[in-house]
């Protein structure tokens, strides 16, 4: 997801490494801070792969600054990653939000909608953090909030249900359904 964020932000135009890091940090929030130890190796991988171009410029002080820009191959890779997100990129909320942040970079609305439909299909499957394993004839069944006595676990499911309901409504609206 870090590489997708790098490519996505650079699709809007060249950035210095510091500004790119700041934008990624704002996107991922305080729960997933971006360290230099993960950002700069990812940038180096993308430069080595020919997806980014790095230019060195004089800085305001003695330090030189690096400006990063997307190459044509980088733009093509960004489009591919957005058009064909992995299943985990669809099922994991934080990963999907990273895809969603840059989905407008897909030039074809039909491709955008295909990604949204995959997320909607995932959200419409019965799911729960907790399962009932007592009746093995039926297998394990997802438990609803009403089935759980623990108030905190019930709270988790109540919040998840409300979030999922809101996201499904937005997805249907975005898809024109």
């Amino acid at each position: 997801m870090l590489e997708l964020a790098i490519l996505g932000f650079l699709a809007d135009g060249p950035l210095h490494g510091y500004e790119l890091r700041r934008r990624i940090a704002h996107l991922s929030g305080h729960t997933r801070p971006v360290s230099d130890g993960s950002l700069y190796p990812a940038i180096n991988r993308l430069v080595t792969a020919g997806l980014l171009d790095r230019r060195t410029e004089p800085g305001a002080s003695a330090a030189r600054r690096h400006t990063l820009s997307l190459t044509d191959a980088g733009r093509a890779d960004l489009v591919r990653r957005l058009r064909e997100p992995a299943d985990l990129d669809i099922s994991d909320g934080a990963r999907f939000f990273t895809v969603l942040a840059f989905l407008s970079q897909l030039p074809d609305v039909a491709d955008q909608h295909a990604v949204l439909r995959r997320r909607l299909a995932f959200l419409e499957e019965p799911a729960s953090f907790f399962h009932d394993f007592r009746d093995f004839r039926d297998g394990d069944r997802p438990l609803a909030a009403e089935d759980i006595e623990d108030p905190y676990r019930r709270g988790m499911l109540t919040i998840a249900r409300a979030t999922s309901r809101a996201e499904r409504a937005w997805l249907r609206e975005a898809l024109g359904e």
Side-chain angles (χ1 to χ4, degrees):
M1 293 288 68
L2 180 56
E3 290 182 359
L4 177 62
I6 292 167
L7 295 170
F9 280 120
L10 292 175
D12 292 332
L15 294 170
H16 295 285
Y18 174 80
E19 178 62 20
L20 179 61
R21 181 175 187 236
R22 192 176 72 76
R23 289 184 187 191
I24 291 171
H26 285 287
L27 176 66
S28 60
H30 68 279
T31 57
R32 296 183 183 195
V34 179
S35 70
D36 289 345
S38 58
L39 177 62
Y40 290 102
I43 289 171
N44 289 334
R45 283 192 304 274
L46 295 170
V47 168
T48 301
L51 305 179
L52 300 182
D53 182 48
R54 180 179 9 216
R55 285 190 336 261
T56 303
E57 301 173 345
S61 61
R64 296 183 334 187
R65 296 170 31 150
H66 298 283
T67 300
L68 300 163
S69 58
L70 205 56
T71 64
D72 289 342
R75 187 167 304 282
D77 190 63
L78 171 63
V79 167
R80 180 196 56 79
R81 289 174 191 238
L82 292 169
R83 186 180 292 128
E84 304 164 5
D87 289 342
L88 183 59
D89 299 340
I90 296 294
S91 63
D92 180 270
R95 292 176 73 99
F96 180 71
F97 277 13
T98 301
V99 169
L100 193 59
F102 304 108
L103 199 57
S104 63
Q105 294 292 334
L106 268 179
D108 187 353
V109 173
D111 289 339
Q112 295 170 358
H113 284 192
V115 172
L116 297 180
R117 280 191 196 90
R118 282 183 61 200
R119 176 68 174 179
L120 182 58
F122 166 75
L123 291 174
E124 289 179 336
E125 289 293 317
S128 176
F129 298 107
F130 307 107
H131 289 252
D132 184 357
F133 297 102
R134 292 174 291 181
D135 188 351
F136 293 108
R137 287 170 286 149
D138 293 333
D140 64 337
R141 71 175 178 87
L143 293 173
E146 299 77 23
D147 299 331
I148 297 188
E149 293 180 27
D150 183 290
Y152 305 107
R153 289 182 176 186
R154 188 172 51 247
M156 286 175 63
L157 292 177
T158 300
I159 292 166
R161 179 190 301 158
T163 302
S164 178
R165 187 176 297 133
E167 187 176 350
R168 288 191 318 261
W170 178 83
L171 286 164
R172 287 186 189 105
E173 180 183 324
L175 291 166
E177 296 177 0

